[in-house]
Amino acid sequence: MVPPLPGPLAHLAPLLGHYGYWAVGAVVLVEDFGVPAPGETILIAAGIYAGAGRLDIVAVAVIAFAAAVVGDNVGYLIGRSGGRTLVHRWGRYVLLTPERFQKAEEFFTRHGGHIVTVARFVEGLRQANGIIAGTGGMPWRRFLAYNALGAALWVGLWATLAFVAGTHITALYDEITRYRLYTLITLAVLAAALIGRRVLRRRHEN
């Protein structure tokens, strides 16, 4: 029997424990056509669960890959059929404001089609790159190839790292707990130093 997951990961048990692979597929899918869902977080959590023996890592990776590709293609169809008008009218309901979309589109245009692959690893672009590609008129086959490559790299990286972490999850949490006090003190000192520096700079400017 697999022991319960320690620390804050225990709070994720109801979602992944009840819905399992469906949760992974659904969250990754909707994130990839613009909905602000925690797709990357659910992938990492599922990978950790797999490492701890709760899920099968191959199934997690396959489902996440398929959901990522399908989700981005839904976004591509939205961009291709509705264009900027649709984004400007409804985008704000999923936090895709015209300003945010314009910045992502400018970045996309500046770096060319291969950015579809890299966009998978960039927050904001991951959610909007399919819509931008469709709006910009990128040929679908080209988009599909770049998108599939990006999805494979993204899923492969996070699923592998999370799976390895999951196989040592108890030891990792023991180390985190042991050094938590020192970590908090270090962060407090750094925060105080940054605040002090800002105060001194403002006084100097005045």
Side-chain angles (χ1 to χ4, degrees):
M1 182 177 179
V2 179
L5 295 177
L9 283 181
H11 299 295
L12 297 174
L15 178 62
L16 285 173
H18 185 71
Y19 296 104
Y21 305 111
W22 288 101
V24 178
V27 176
V28 172
L29 175 71
V30 298
E31 183 195 41
D32 283 349
F33 59 82
V35 177
E40 194 165 85
T41 302
I42 198 73
L43 172 59
I44 294 171
I48 292 174
Y49 264 58
R54 297 292 187 90
L55 297 171
D56 180 75
I57 190 59
V58 175
V60 168
V62 170
I63 290 170
F65 172 78
V69 172
V70 172
D72 268 346
N73 276 274
V74 171
Y76 179 89
L77 289 175
I78 291 173
R80 191 79 172 187
S81 59
R84 292 177 183 81
T85 302
L86 186 63
V87 173
H88 289 174
R89 183 174 181 181
W90 302 105
R92 65 182 181 275
Y93 294 109
V94 293
L95 305 183
L96 187 60
T97 62
E99 294 78 13
R100 184 182 176 190
F101 181 78
Q102 183 178 354
K103 289 180 181 178
E105 191 174 32
E106 289 172 355
F107 186 84
F108 189 97
T109 303
R110 187 162 60 249
H111 292 278
H114 64 275
I115 199 61
V116 172
T117 300
V118 180
R120 178 70 55 182
F121 297 89
V122 181
E123 185 67 28
L125 282 180
R126 182 169 61 253
Q127 294 86 351
N129 87 95
I131 298 175
I132 296 171
T135 301
M138 175 182 283
W140 176 74
R141 289 185 179 180
R142 187 183 182 202
F143 169 76
L144 180 63
Y146 280 125
N147 178 44
L149 175 60
L153 294 174
W154 180 71
V155 170
L157 173 66
W158 289 119
T160 300
L161 291 178
F163 179 77
V164 172
T167 59
H168 303 88
I169 192 65
T170 301
L172 285 173
Y173 270 109
D174 287 343
E175 291 299 314
I176 291 171
T177 302
R178 182 181 305 172
Y179 295 104
R180 180 168 52 191
L181 178 61
Y182 302 106
T183 302
L184 292 174
I185 292 174
T186 302
L187 291 175
V189 170
L190 287 174
L194 290 173
I195 293 172
R197 182 183 176 186
R198 179 171 295 182
V199 170
L200 290 174
R201 180 179 295 176
R202 287 184 177 178
R203 287 182 179 177
H204 179 73
E205 291 175 351
N206 293 333

